[in-house]
Each structure stands twice: as C-alpha cells, then as structure tokens.
Amino acid sequence: MKRIAKFHKVSFQQFLEGWTDTFGEQKETEVRDIYESIRMPRRATTGSAGYDFFTPVDVTLQPGETIKIPTGIRAEMQEDWVLNLYPRSGLGFKYRLQLNNTVGIIDSDYFYSDNEGHIFAKITNDSKEGKTVVLKAGEGFMQGIFLEYGITVDDEATEKRNGGLGSTTGK
C-alpha cells in the first residue's frame, strides 16, 4: 500500500468559524468540547478502501432535510492524489443519504487554503420511504477514498488555490 496522506484537525479558530456559520453562535466552551471530541477518519478493516468520517454531534434528518457538517478535518496528501468523499454505503442504501455535491473532491492543494482545507459535508436525507436518519456523535456518516490521477500531456495549469468550494474556476 502506498502511504500518501495524513489527516489533521483544523485549528480551533477555523473550526469555530465553520461551526458558527452552520449552527449560529454558541458558547465557545461548548464548541471547544465538540472540537476536542472530533475523531480522526479511519479505516474500519485492513481491507477497507474508505476512511470513515464521524459526526461531531448527534444529527437527526427527517426525509428531505439537509445539514452542513463542519468535520474539523483537513487532509494533507501528495500531489497527483485526490480524496473523494461519498456517503457511507449502508446509509446511502438504507436512507438514500446523499452528499449534495454527489461526490466531494478534495484536491491536494486544498490543504493550503485560507480555511486550512477544512472539509465540510452537506448531506440530505433523500428517503422515499419516510425514514428518519439518526446519527449519534462519533458515528461514521461519510467515507473518503484516496485516488491517484493523471493530467494531459499539454496541461498548462499555473494558478494557485486560495479558497474552498468553487474557488477554482478553470480560467
């Protein structure tokens, strides 16, 4: 196995900013407790391709409801690799839990963005059977798979990233 990446927590200040943007103002001590309890992504078994990402708090989604989750995680990886994010298979199968952007793409240079490469997940319970998704704090909800990629022989990309979602426009 190639070892090409490492997960880190974002700084507390970055987490606080992302948390406040999603959930509004809360006591800093409460947010710090959530931050301190963040679990780093991990593979469940030696044969697992995906690294499970865990919810920092309890999440309940009724059918049709959406939530943006600041994970508090960033991924440092070698160039020519990407982290693809998907719902955990069982949650997608049982509840049609979906990432709103279908597949999250975390590029290697996202780690160096102004937001420290903070990974967010916007998920929706798209259940057609009226099922409620209940996730306890620390429960896996999303998985990330590192994939190597190539570029075209005539590639001339020279721009540097300095932002998050939608910060590259293919100029």
Side-chain angles (χ1 to χ4, degrees):
M1 287 290 170
K2 295 180 181 180
R3 295 185 181 260
I4 52 83
K6 181 170 175 53
F7 290 109
H8 304 268
K9 277 188 182 181
V10 298
S11 68
F12 174 71
Q13 278 310 118
Q14 182 58 50
F15 182 73
L16 179 62
E17 183 179 314
W19 192 263
T20 302
D21 181 56
T22 299
F23 297 106
E25 294 290 329
Q26 290 181 325
K27 291 181 181 176
E28 190 170 311
T29 56
E30 291 174 5
V31 179
R32 185 168 294 280
D33 288 344
I34 295 165
Y35 175 79
E36 295 299 330
S37 70
I38 290 173
R39 293 178 60 192
M40 299 303 283
R42 62 181 282 281
R43 294 184 311 140
T45 68
T46 58
S48 297
Y51 283 82
D52 292 336
F53 281 69
F54 306 100
T55 59
V57 293
D58 292 348
V59 172
T60 300
L61 290 174
Q62 300 299 323
E65 286 187 331
T66 297
I67 189 171
K68 181 175 77 171
I69 299 175
T71 67
I73 303 296
R74 60 196 295 222
E76 181 179 21
M77 69 193 92
Q78 293 177 11
E79 286 187 31
D80 302 335
W81 287 82
V82 63
L83 175 62
N84 287 1
L85 300 171
Y86 310 92
R88 288 203 51 214
S89 301
L91 294 172
F93 187 81
K94 292 175 191 171
Y95 303 99
R96 289 181 50 106
L97 186 72
Q98 298 181 11
L99 292 177
N100 283 27
N101 57 345
T102 311
V103 176
I105 303 294
I106 308 299
D107 299 308
S108 63
D109 60 351
Y110 184 52
F111 184 79
Y112 305 101
S113 298
D114 284 350
N115 73 348
E116 300 177 22
H118 191 176
I119 297 171
F120 289 81
K122 194 169 188 182
I123 58 174
T124 296
N125 176 358
D126 196 31
S127 172
K128 303 297 184 204
E129 294 107 14
K131 295 179 181 178
T132 300
V133 176
V134 177
L135 302 168
K136 297 293 182 197
E139 187 175 343
F141 75 99
M142 177 173 72
Q143 61 184 323
I145 300 174
F146 290 98
L147 299 170
E148 193 170 19
Y149 68 90
I151 59 174
T152 62
V153 295
D154 59 347
D155 182 272
E156 297 179 7
T158 59
E159 297 295 319
K160 298 289 184 189
R161 174 188 305 276
N162 191 17
L165 190 64
S167 64
T168 57
T169 59
K171 297 176 187 173

